Amino acid sequence: MSGGGRLAGWVFAGPALLVIGLFFLLPVICALALSVTDFDIYALADLDNLRFVGFGNYLALLQNPLFWKALGNTIYFVLVGVPLSIMVSLGAAVLLHSKLGRFKPFFRTAFFAPVVTTVVAVAVIWRYLFHTRYGLVNWGLSGLGIEPVDWLGDPHWAMPTIIGFAVWKNFGYNMIIFLSGLQAIPEDLYEAARIDGASAWPQFRHVTLPMLGPVLLLVGILTMAGYFQLFAEPYVMTQGGPLESTVSVLYLMYEQGFKWWNLGMASAVAFILFVLMGGITSGLLWFARRRGAEG
Amino acid sequence: MKWPALLSLILLVVVGCARNNDSREVVTFWAMGFEGEIVAQLLPEFERTHPGIRVELQQLPWTAAHEKLLTAYAGDSTPDLCQLGNTWIPEFAALGALEPLDIRLSGSTVIDIADYFQGIWNTNVIDGRVYGAPWYVDTRLPYYRRDLLLAAGFAQPPTTWLEWRKAMAAIKANAGPKGYAILLPLNEFEPLLALALQQDDPLLRDRGRHGNFRSAGFRRTLAFYQEMFDRGWAPQVSNNQISNVWDEFDKGMYSFYISGPWNIAEFKKRIPAQRQDEWMTMPLPGPNGPGASIAGGSSLVLFRASKHKQAAWQLLEYLSDVRTQARFQALTGDLPPRRTVWNDPRLANDPHAKAFRQQLERVKPTPKVPEWERIATEMRLVSEQMVNGKLSVDEAAAELDRRADAILEKRRWMLDRAGAK
């Protein structure tokens, strides 16, 4: 490449690189530096009180039972929440795509509505729905003869309730993506399948799913990345309780950083989460590439 | 649509600049929440009597105040005078952000230290230096159901733990399996903390180097707390699950509810008029006779970086003056820290405030280390595990000491280093 062309390339890429460097790379490097110190309010008062602790924060975290609890809770949330969320989205998309469906625009809007509502506002309503004494859910269950469940107060039920809340709140977004994926599948494939005698399920299994492969991968990665960052739902519904059963990794980071001002420790939490998510995402991509799902 | 907004913004800025031509000295004053709104009504009087000073009041929401103050400190933009929750004073004093007031206080004719409740004043004293003057106070004590207590056979509220146990057992027996005697929300550490302060053993030992939760006193408190859940006197719930504590209190789900003075107004508002005489406040019962409770509330502090300390001090004195305090009390309903103000008939004759007046003579500050709030949070988490049967009383005390010692590690290092110098 000629010198002029090289310069032009840098000029075009320059602004974007500058922005990425300034607003992404630099903060990440600062956070990394912070995570090997014990920066806290004492250090804020006087930098003399700042100690270099090396991997001390990371080691302390790995020995902290609350961190493992938070990690366990987050993984529980991701493992149950992501497949559930994708299944619900796909189910809703298939139903909306069906030729037998009625009032499609209405349902499309209704299913998408939770995505555009504020977490805080709907969390208030959910807290009422799941109230032990006065909640609609327990009232309905009592009609079936089931004893009232303490949805948000019982350590075993709090996370499932949070998962239900998150899935309900988010499934509409993926549904829209699936819907556009479904619309892109050529109709003649289904026609050919029908001529071969395939009923609804084999059609779904052998035509719809393979054709949706790339979309599924995209949705899977996006949803997982989002679900790993669980924060707002426990923050407004349970504040991490009962018995820390809904403390997520990000919630732990928030408490360390913004409540107790332990910025060194909080940065370490952020990095562990970053590495974890990076690892799992590239694992998924590798898996997809092997299966040939990537376009 | 955007233009009018932008124009008015520009206009505001212009007006703001124009006012800077005013030659008066400007004192910036940060105050929080409801008090921050109300105090604006007291400022014109101050500006009238102090013609050389103009007060710029900024209101902060409580939820953002702590973060905003720390950011202001880091960015060298602290106010001149500020309202500070008195449990935050150790933290800001450790930062070196606050101006000691001792010299100014010794020359003051307005602030009479002996007139303040001692436990409340004490929260402002750190290592022998005074960093703030109490503005309004709060403490925790039980609200109780007179009728249910009477039905259980008690004409007077209990004053000792022993009497309290008997009363709770009797109330529980009347209430049946679905009713309770007391509400101790698992998401609040204050009830347990109030009961812990009643013991003679301090909560931290060696100048705040280590936790002292394995002391006999704290374990007695922990055992009492545990007993209230074990015997079914208290339900294992957090505030979020109750959703309306006043309503449930009115329905008789529990007869004792430990809370602060702001709830006087709430109970007056939320309990129907015909049943208003069913509730009353009482001093917190102690292990042997009326016990201590938490010295809470807000103080007024001067920041060390301020360039208008003398003017800010005059405002602090004005706000601490008995007459201003009485007006402030009338406007907010907050409890005053000065005994003289309590002589005002409006307060002296208020039956619900009476128990608070008595309790305030027996309040104790929490340990004055910046890490205290974190330790108190751990206290809540560990006691929640204990109540759920995951830890015994002794295990919970040991676990608390372990967690407190880990949190205090940096403090020990700093104290050792300061000692070596």
Side-chain angles (χ1 to χ4, degrees):
Chain A
M1 200 191 275
S2 70
R6 185 172 298 185
L7 182 72
W10 279 111
V11 168
F12 277 111
L17 283 178
L18 193 75
V19 168
I20 291 175
L22 208 61
F23 295 107
F24 177 72
L25 224 52
L26 194 68
V28 168
I29 292 170
C30 289
L32 188 63
L34 216 54
S35 77
V36 292
T37 68
D38 69 343
F39 196 97
D40 57 5
I41 62 146
Y42 288 127
L44 189 67
D46 185 348
L47 275 182
D48 261 0
N49 293 330
L50 188 72
R51 288 181 293 180
F52 175 76
V53 293
F55 291 109
N57 284 331
Y58 294 93
L59 287 177
L61 268 177
L62 297 182
Q63 287 165 10
N64 183 352
L66 184 60
F67 170 74
W68 290 107
K69 179 121 198 177
L71 191 62
N73 290 339
T74 309
I75 289 175
Y76 175 19
F77 180 77
V78 170
L79 282 186
V80 179
V82 172
L84 193 67
S85 166
I86 291 179
M87 278 193 289
V88 173
S89 305
L90 189 58
V94 168
L95 287 180
L96 278 181
H97 187 62
S98 156
K99 286 186 208 56
L100 301 171
R102 296 280 178 90
F103 311 115
K104 279 184 193 173
F106 168 75
F107 280 113
R108 207 163 45 210
T109 315
F111 287 163
F112 194 68
V115 179
V116 291
T117 53
T118 346
V119 187
V120 181
V122 284
V124 174
I125 297 169
W126 270 65
R127 273 200 341 224
Y128 268 107
L129 285 178
F130 283 87
H131 193 277
T132 319
R133 285 199 173 192
Y134 311 118
L136 193 66
V137 176
N138 272 348
W139 181 77
L141 287 178
S142 72
L144 300 172
I146 298 171
E147 283 287 299
V149 178
D150 191 356
W151 294 103
L152 290 167
D154 184 325
H156 301 292
W157 281 111
M159 191 47 107
T161 312
I162 296 272
I163 291 174
F165 178 57
V167 167
W168 171 82
K169 176 90 180 61
N170 297 319
F171 83 94
Y173 186 78
N174 289 337
M175 181 193 76
I176 296 289
I177 301 179
F178 278 132
L179 209 52
S180 67
L182 286 174
Q183 279 157 2
I185 301 176
E187 189 51 39
D188 34 347
L189 288 178
Y190 289 106
E191 214 168 297
R194 273 198 298 278
I195 290 168
D196 287 344
S199 58
W201 174 247
Q203 281 183 39
F204 177 76
R205 175 82 182 65
H206 296 288
V207 179
T208 313
L209 273 188
M211 291 304 285
L212 276 181
V215 180
L216 266 172
L217 177 71
L218 170 89
V219 166
I221 289 175
L222 283 182
T223 312
M224 204 194 56
Y227 274 38
F228 257 110
Q229 300 179 38
L230 170 68
F231 172 71
E233 288 85 357
Y235 180 67
V236 290
M237 300 264 280
T238 56
Q239 285 89 49
L243 282 176
E244 295 138 40
S245 60
T246 54
V247 174
S248 66
V249 175
L250 215 62
Y251 191 86
L252 182 74
M253 184 187 94
Y254 161 80
E255 285 213 321
Q256 286 292 339
F258 295 100
K259 210 160 158 197
W260 311 130
W261 219 255
N262 284 334
L263 292 179
M265 187 64 91
S267 305
V269 178
F271 262 90
I272 292 184
L273 188 64
F274 177 71
V275 168
L276 199 72
M277 279 170 60
I280 293 179
T281 311
S282 34
L284 259 184
L285 279 173
W286 173 81
F287 177 76
R289 214 172 292 138
R290 239 184 41 159
R291 295 282 301 264
E294 204 184 16
Chain B
M1 234 186 82
K2 276 183 183 165
W3 283 108
L6 197 65
L7 268 179
S8 49
L9 193 75
I10 292 171
L11 212 68
L12 263 178
V13 171
V14 171
V15 171
C17 292
R19 275 171 68 188
N20 278 350
N21 292 338
D22 185 332
S23 63
R24 292 181 292 176
E25 190 174 1
V26 177
V27 171
T28 41
F29 175 27
W30 288 6
M32 292 139 200
F34 176 62
E35 285 76 18
E37 288 168 32
I38 298 294
V39 73
Q41 300 177 34
L42 299 175
L43 297 179
E45 168 76 9
F46 174 76
E47 288 181 341
R48 200 176 54 75
T49 49
H50 299 75
I53 303 175
R54 186 167 69 78
V55 182
E56 212 174 272
L57 174 68
Q58 228 192 82
Q59 293 148 0
L60 315 179
W62 269 110
T63 44
H66 188 252
E67 218 179 304
K68 168 129 180 156
L69 277 166
L70 279 177
T71 320
Y73 168 77
D76 279 332
S77 54
T78 46
D80 300 310
L81 180 70
C82 185
Q83 169 192 0
L84 211 57
N86 63 14
T87 49
W88 295 355
I89 292 177
E91 184 179 352
F92 284 90
L95 284 172
L98 303 182
E99 175 77 4
L101 302 178
D102 303 81
I103 298 169
R104 288 195 166 85
L105 279 168
S106 63
S108 175
T109 53
V110 177
I111 300 180
D112 172 16
I113 299 174
D115 192 29
Y116 285 80
F117 295 108
Q118 203 210 335
I120 295 289
W121 185 268
N122 194 357
T123 58
N124 297 276
V125 184
I126 292 167
D127 295 331
R129 286 180 148 185
V130 183
Y131 287 97
W135 192 22
Y136 63 89
V137 298
D138 75 60
T139 184
R140 305 283 169 131
L141 50 70
Y143 288 71
Y144 73 101
R145 284 284 298 264
R146 269 210 289 220
D147 52 342
L148 294 181
L149 201 63
L150 198 63
F154 296 83
Q156 292 296 321
T159 57
T160 67
W161 285 7
L162 190 67
E163 289 172 31
W164 203 8
R165 281 192 178 96
K166 285 183 190 156
M168 285 192 282
I171 288 169
K172 171 72 187 174
N174 282 351
K178 290 212 160 180
Y180 300 92
I182 186 170
L183 176 65
L184 299 166
L186 291 176
N187 59 341
E188 287 183 3
F189 61 75
E190 285 86 353
L192 176 62
L193 176 60
L195 295 173
L197 286 171
Q198 300 184 327
Q199 305 288 352
D200 292 330
D201 299 295
L203 294 168
L204 302 179
R205 61 189 166 85
D206 308 336
R207 289 184 60 210
R209 282 165 190 262
H210 293 279
N212 194 28
F213 295 103
R214 273 171 298 182
S215 65
F218 187 76
R219 279 186 296 153
R220 259 198 303 279
T221 293
L222 217 48
F224 180 42
Y225 190 74
Q226 169 84 320
E227 183 188 353
M228 291 193 269
F229 289 94
D230 282 352
R231 301 206 173 207
W233 299 340
Q236 285 185 26
V237 294
S238 72
N239 260 344
N240 294 341
Q241 288 155 267
I242 294 287
S243 82
N244 188 333
V245 288
W246 308 278
D247 200 36
E248 295 295 343
F249 180 82
D250 181 40
K251 285 184 187 158
M253 183 185 173
Y254 39 82
S255 300
F256 296 100
Y257 174 45
I258 299 179
S259 188
W262 59 88
N263 255 328
I264 295 183
E266 293 295 325
F267 276 111
K268 280 185 181 163
K269 193 167 72 191
R270 295 182 187 243
I271 289 185
Q274 67 272 22
R275 291 199 295 279
Q276 271 296 325
D277 57 357
E278 75 183 15
W279 69 278
M280 191 38 77
T281 53
M282 61 184 255
L284 192 63
N288 332 287
S293 187
I294 307 166
S298 277
S299 293
L300 295 167
V301 298
L302 296 190
F303 273 88
R304 180 169 276 176
S306 161
K307 291 189 179 67
H308 308 280
K309 284 184 193 126
Q310 199 46 42
W313 170 253
Q314 286 178 38
L315 179 56
L316 190 154
E317 274 195 317
Y318 165 77
L319 291 171
S320 304
D321 184 84
V322 175
R323 271 161 307 173
T324 323
Q325 286 256 312
R327 267 190 71 199
F328 185 64
Q329 197 283 324
L331 289 170
T332 58
D334 287 341
L335 301 182
R338 301 187 67 155
R339 295 188 181 92
T340 321
V341 186
W342 278 86
N343 295 337
D344 189 301
R346 200 185 48 254
L347 262 181
N349 300 331
D350 181 344
H352 297 115
K354 203 174 134 208
F356 281 99
R357 172 71 178 80
Q358 293 166 3
Q359 189 67 61
L360 283 167
E361 295 288 354
R362 285 191 300 272
V363 289
K364 272 194 199 171
T366 50
K368 291 177 220 165
V369 297
E371 294 87 350
W372 174 250
E373 215 173 316
R374 276 171 76 194
I375 298 175
T377 306
E378 296 299 336
M379 200 164 103
R380 181 184 79 69
L381 294 174
V382 172
S383 66
E384 188 185 6
Q385 290 191 354
M386 180 188 77
V387 166
N388 272 280
K390 309 231 160 161
L391 296 172
S392 71
V393 168
D394 287 346
E395 283 165 354
E399 175 65 14
L400 260 175
D401 265 344
R402 201 185 59 74
R403 292 192 187 187
D405 286 358
I407 290 171
L408 292 167
E409 186 273 333
K410 179 116 184 205
R411 180 179 167 83
R412 285 197 296 276
W413 174 75
M414 289 183 51
L415 286 174
D416 289 344
R417 202 176 53 151
K421 266 182 192 168

